[in-house]
Amino acid sequence: MARQPRPLVRSDIAYSTPTHVTVRGKDLVRDVLGQMNLGDFAFLQLTGRTASPRQAAVFNALLITLVEHGMTPSAIAARMTYAGAPESLQAAVAAGLCGLGSVFVGSMEGAARMLHEALLGQPDEVDLERVAHDTVAALRERGAAIAGLGHPLHKPVDPRAQRLFEIAAENGMSGRYVALMQGIAREAERATGKALPINATGAIGAICCEFGFPWHMVRGFGVMARAIGLVGHLMEEAERPMAVEIWQRVEDEASRHLREA
Amino acid sequence: MARQPRPLVRSDIAYSTPTHVTVRGKDLVRDVLGQMNLGDFAFLQLTGRTASPRQAAVFNALLITLVEHGMTPSAIAARMTYAGAPESLQAAVAAGLCGLGSVFVGSMEGAARMLHEALLGQPDEVDLERVAHDTVAALRERGAAIAGLGHPLHKPVDPRAQRLFEIAAENGMSGRYVALMQGIAREAERATGKALPINATGAIGAICCEFGFPWHMVRGFGVMARAIGLVGHLMEEAERPMAVEIWQRVEDEASRHLREA
Amino acid sequence: MARQPRPLVRSDIAYSTPTHVTVRGKDLVRDVLGQMNLGDFAFLQLTGRTASPRQAAVFNALLITLVEHGMTPSAIAARMTYAGAPESLQAAVAAGLCGLGSVFVGSMEGAARMLHEALLGQPDEVDLERVAHDTVAALRERGAAIAGLGHPLHKPVDPRAQRLFEIAAENGMSGRYVALMQGIAREAERATGKALPINATGAIGAICCEFGFPWHMVRGFGVMARAIGLVGHLMEEAERPMAVEIWQRVEDEASRHLREA
Amino acid sequence: MARQPRPLVRSDIAYSTPTHVTVRGKDLVRDVLGQMNLGDFAFLQLTGRTASPRQAAVFNALLITLVEHGMTPSAIAARMTYAGAPESLQAAVAAGLCGLGSVFVGSMEGAARMLHEALLGQPDEVDLERVAHDTVAALRERGAAIAGLGHPLHKPVDPRAQRLFEIAAENGMSGRYVALMQGIAREAERATGKALPINATGAIGAICCEFGFPWHMVRGFGVMARAIGLVGHLMEEAERPMAVEIWQRVEDEASRHLREA
């Protein structure tokens, strides 16, 4: 570790002294504990800024929407892992998080990226209807799905998306990214003739753009929120387990054709 | 999947219909979004109950304390993972969580377990000083460390523990588990002649017992809170990376004796 | 990184120069590739020593036994994870490995630890029948299960254990740890009146002791072998998926009582 | 779990009866243990076929090359995780594997994909020099790096790639994918004027194509091989730890500017 000069190893997030813990410039004990809620502190941890009350309202709503989605593959993976290693609860949560990739949480990232790229370098007065039209046309030409639209269950409207857009509007955070997402949905329905409501991940992707979060970090909100949801699933699994039952059914069915051959 | 009868695969956490998402009996869109913060919703997700304002104040403070502890091994592991797989942010968070085991977050679980077991089956009027004395004596006889006491940096007092106990007291949640933890600290200092302040994990373990959380789930609070902290580290790593620099220094130093042999 | 003196960061495993890669003192290109198989190289990587042909035969058999155990919770977790993040195959394997803890692979570690501790400091001529008797008696008095005995399916004999003991014996590696494991099984059957055959993890635990592997590393053999098995499951999942089907069945059944309430 | 008809949950990998364990159609006890080495069994587990002696020679060499690459970010992440959760060795390996993504192991996958796509649907007698030229031209036009070429340390030749190609040729597995990889390297050096030797991941990607492995599974070989390497690192970490030392140096340096501000 001697070669010089080297870029410094440097972090601006936190440091401690014997009497103080400082996170993002705030004294944890004096300025945070007892005065902030977890969602507001998450905003501080992630951005280095204190959320305004209106930002806090929207940000908490975003995160809450991502906590719990029922018996997802992620929850099943966490419960299966807990069955094998109940002494390593953290590893069961980790296993559940590992699957939050392109298929399930990725559509949120995809929506944020689509909106970000569509408006990158565009002037404030850009015609959003035209951008929506061009975006849909380009994706359809490539045969690509449009991120953030459609839901297998929530039809004709995803009630979470609707509510998130309301909350954003009530708090002055419904700007041109939200408008573009809505324009893209209208244009996609027009072009395909299919009902394609904006789903929760589409709404979250758009609102994340309003916050100015980089699209490649949007997935992180889903990851941290789902960690909470998974701990809830593991508390239930500890009380009333289902993993062993699922395992035995799957094992039994999966190899029946071999055993009976 | 035919053998009968079988225990049902059953979860009480959440379900969805086309128009509603229900989590722990609450309508997510109507009753939660825009009305709860993330910490309060975490309480609902984990316990199935709505936190009272005083419970919410204490629970949010507990979780916030666990979000960020600086450049921990967990944060370094997450950053190393991100350097190799930036497209899999969820896997980097998962890697960071995997190390929240017996050494770092376990002391929280250990404190909760010690307090839980010390008061299990004891009458309300039990003499806490005597229980503290017996607990310390038993642990010292076995040569075991006392969970939740002492800190390498925060001496003679861990300011986070002090503040958490204040918040618990202000909100009517400073009961006999907190009193016992404090009694154990006094007794341990008396018996060893060393300064052994209650640390943050000791305070959290005690307060978790006041909530009635099972000790084997206390680790989960650390895991879900730290997931937020790790996303913050990865947002910073994406902007100003340090993982490659650390890697090169470590690799260079670790094999120097072989290359120079 | 300036304070001195500090313990060195040092690894003896491997180093590279522009023209050579050296692992455990061997030139990878000249001495290993084309001359060793994967199991033998694993022995070198883990121990720093070249396996004798007889050690290699036994070690390869141990590892192979651990590769594939059917549709385990670990395989299900890996497949669930792959369904959500097919672009992160490594995270799906990681998720599957996270559950190799105290319940499934731990019995191997438990057997190795039990045998190691039973013979720690004992002279070569120790009476193994007496040690077996005392070990079983002590475990039964504590109400503890005896690691490495019994199997829900493989009765009255676990054919893998039998074969592994044969291979160990044929290769001169059936010493007093194997004899003690067998003595413990006989004693446990006598004391309980139940059929308690040595299972595969019991045999592996005993043979690992013959190798002199530390008991707390025995789990690692299961982890590395199962990584191979999991990649096989993911190759199959990519061709003929089952994760989404399992997910939908579980979700449907788990929340039926809520939807129908 | 009642709706009908449904696709079956089905796996062809393994099943057990009280007296037999069958993996990929082979009786584990009778046909495998004591007769196969780990690399050959991995081939069976992954492909369902028994490797010929020549395939086995090449496949074992591929895997061995991937086991150990020194103090990589992956090894550092595993060691950091072990420091926090030594009781969860499996989680430490999992954490190390999580980072085997696009940056480190992905180049192997990228090379396999590039070669696969370049020859997809091409007749046997295709002019490989022309394909190499077109491939390099297309990648250069897009400003993309060429997967499998170049190495920061191994210059002007990566000795592992050279040896792997030799082993493939000696065993009749040096076909048109290997030839194309070599043609691409020549063409890339000609076009750029830079030394761009085929690196180990380029050689492995090409040889995997000779085996007919799907490109999106090639990463899996790196993952399973590295699991072995990581267990070796953790055995060393348990004996002579470096994680805490690295942690303290990083923490000290990373926040120095904050503490001194």
Side-chain angles (χ1 to χ4, degrees), chain B residues 1 8-12 14-16 85 88 90-91 98 249-250 253-255 257-259, chain C residues 1 8-12 14-16 85 88 90-91 98 249-250 253-255 257-259:
Chain B
M1 301 197 174
L8 278 169
V9 168
R10 173 182 164 152
S11 170
D12 291 338
Y15 71 102
S16 299
S88 305
Q90 79 279 9
C98 278
R249 291 189 198 176
V250 168
E253 181 173 332
S255 63
H257 67 293
L258 296 172
R259 280 178 287 112
Chain C
M1 301 197 174
L8 277 170
V9 168
R10 173 181 164 153
S11 169
D12 290 338
Y15 71 102
S16 298
S88 304
Q90 79 279 9
C98 278
R249 291 189 198 177
V250 169
E253 179 173 333
S255 62
H257 67 293
L258 296 173
R259 279 178 287 113

Side-chain angles (χ1 to χ4, degrees), chain A residues 80-141:
Chain A
M80 288 289 157
T81 304
Y82 186 75
E87 73 286 359
S88 305
L89 180 72
Q90 79 280 8
V93 176
L97 296 182
C98 278
L100 299 179
S102 60
V103 178
F104 293 118
V105 173
S107 57
M108 197 161 82
E109 182 176 300
R113 184 178 191 170
M114 172 183 73
L115 299 170
H116 169 76
E117 292 181 349
L119 292 180
L120 192 64
Q122 297 283 9
D124 285 357
E125 64 280 12
V126 64
D127 177 354
L128 292 175
E129 288 306 313
R130 194 184 48 73
V131 176
H133 175 274
D134 294 353
T135 300
V136 171
L139 287 165
R140 279 170 56 82
E141 195 181 307

Side-chain angles (χ1 to χ4, degrees), chain D residues 49-249:
Chain D
R49 301 190 309 275
T50 304
S52 72
R54 306 181 87 184
Q55 287 176 318
V58 179
F59 190 65
N60 275 280
L62 286 189
L63 292 181
I64 287 172
T65 306
L66 292 161
V67 167
E68 173 57 38
H69 285 199
M71 288 298 311
T72 55
S74 168
I76 297 170
R79 287 170 179 258
M80 288 289 158
T81 304
Y82 186 75
E87 73 286 358
S88 305
L89 179 71
Q90 79 279 10
V93 176
L97 295 183
C98 279
L100 299 180
S102 61
V103 178
F104 294 118
V105 173
S107 57
M108 197 160 81
E109 183 176 299
R113 183 177 193 171
M114 171 182 73
L115 300 170
H116 170 75
E117 292 180 348
L119 292 180
L120 193 64
Q122 297 282 9
D124 285 358
E125 66 278 13
V126 64
D127 177 354
L128 292 175
E129 287 306 313
R130 193 185 50 73
V131 177
H133 176 272
D134 294 352
T135 301
V136 170
L139 287 165
R140 279 170 57 81
E141 196 180 307
R142 301 207 325 255
I146 300 173
L149 298 188
H151 196 278
L153 178 65
H154 296 302
K155 295 185 271 204
V157 161
D158 184 329
R160 301 165 301 171
Q162 210 172 19
R163 181 75 184 108
L164 288 170
F165 282 143
E166 274 176 29
I167 293 170
E170 289 163 15
N171 289 285
M173 295 200 61
S174 185
R176 62 185 196 160
Y177 294 102
V178 169
L180 177 58
M181 189 75 224
Q182 292 167 335
I184 286 171
R186 280 191 303 274
E187 176 62 23
E189 296 200 328
R190 198 198 54 73
T192 64
K194 286 193 266 180
L196 285 172
I198 300 174
N199 59 36
T201 63
I204 292 171
I207 297 170
C208 283
C209 288
E210 300 290 346
F211 273 104
F213 294 127
W215 65 261
H216 61 273
M217 280 295 147
V218 167
R219 184 185 298 201
F221 304 148
V223 173
M224 67 197 217
R226 197 61 62 86
I228 297 171
L230 290 172
V231 174
H233 278 272
L234 295 172
M235 287 182 77
E236 187 180 68
E237 182 71 21
E239 293 288 314
R240 188 205 288 131
M242 67 171 73
V244 169
E245 170 68 17
I246 295 170
W247 164 35
Q248 289 178 347
R249 291 189 198 177

Side-chain angles (χ1 to χ4, degrees), chain A residues 2-252:
Chain A
R3 281 176 277 153
Q4 282 293 341
R6 286 271 209 174
L8 277 170
V9 168
R10 173 182 164 152
S11 170
D12 290 338
I13 298 179
Y15 71 102
S16 298
T17 66
T19 52
H20 292 81
V21 176
T22 307
V23 179
R24 295 293 196 180
K26 289 207 174 291
D27 185 309
L28 181 73
V29 164
R30 194 191 58 201
D31 302 332
V32 175
L33 294 179
Q35 302 183 48
M36 273 193 185
N37 64 57
L38 182 65
D40 296 4
F41 187 68
F43 190 91
L44 176 68
Q45 166 77 1
L46 268 50
T47 67
R49 300 190 310 274
T50 303
S52 72
R54 306 181 88 185
Q55 287 177 319
V58 180
F59 190 65
N60 275 279
L62 286 190
L63 292 181
I64 286 173
T65 305
L66 292 161
V67 166
E68 172 57 38
H69 285 200
M71 288 297 313
T72 55
S74 168
I76 297 170
R79 286 170 180 258
M80 288 289 157
T81 304
Y82 186 75
E87 73 286 359
S88 305
L89 180 72
Q90 79 280 8
V93 176
L97 296 182
C98 278
L100 299 179
S102 60
V103 178
F104 293 118
V105 173
S107 57
M108 197 161 82
E109 182 176 300
R113 184 178 191 170
M114 172 183 73
L115 299 170
H116 169 76
E117 292 181 349
L119 292 180
L120 192 64
Q122 297 283 9
D124 285 357
E125 64 280 12
V126 64
D127 177 354
L128 292 175
E129 288 306 313
R130 194 184 48 73
V131 176
H133 175 274
D134 294 353
T135 300
V136 171
L139 287 165
R140 279 170 56 82
E141 195 181 307
R142 299 207 327 253
I146 301 174
L149 297 189
H151 196 278
L153 177 64
H154 296 304
K155 296 186 270 205
V157 161
D158 185 329
R160 302 165 299 172
Q162 211 171 19
R163 183 74 184 110
L164 288 170
F165 282 143
E166 273 175 30
I167 294 170
E170 289 162 15
N171 289 286
M173 295 199 63
S174 186
R176 62 186 196 159
Y177 293 103
V178 169
L180 178 58
M181 189 73 224
Q182 291 167 336
I184 285 172
R186 278 191 303 273
E187 176 62 22
E189 296 201 330
R190 197 197 56 73
T192 64
K194 286 192 266 182
L196 284 172
I198 300 174
N199 59 37
T201 62
I204 293 171
I207 298 171
C208 282
C209 288
E210 300 291 345
F211 273 103
F213 294 128
W215 65 260
H216 61 274
M217 279 296 146
V218 167
R219 182 184 299 201
F221 304 148
V223 173
M224 67 197 217
R226 197 60 62 85
I228 296 171
L230 291 172
V231 174
H233 278 271
L234 295 173
M235 286 183 77
E236 187 181 67
E237 181 71 21
E239 293 288 314
R240 188 204 290 131
M242 68 171 73
V244 169
E245 170 68 16
I246 296 170
W247 164 35
Q248 289 177 349
R249 291 188 198 178
V250 169
E251 187 177 50
D252 188 48

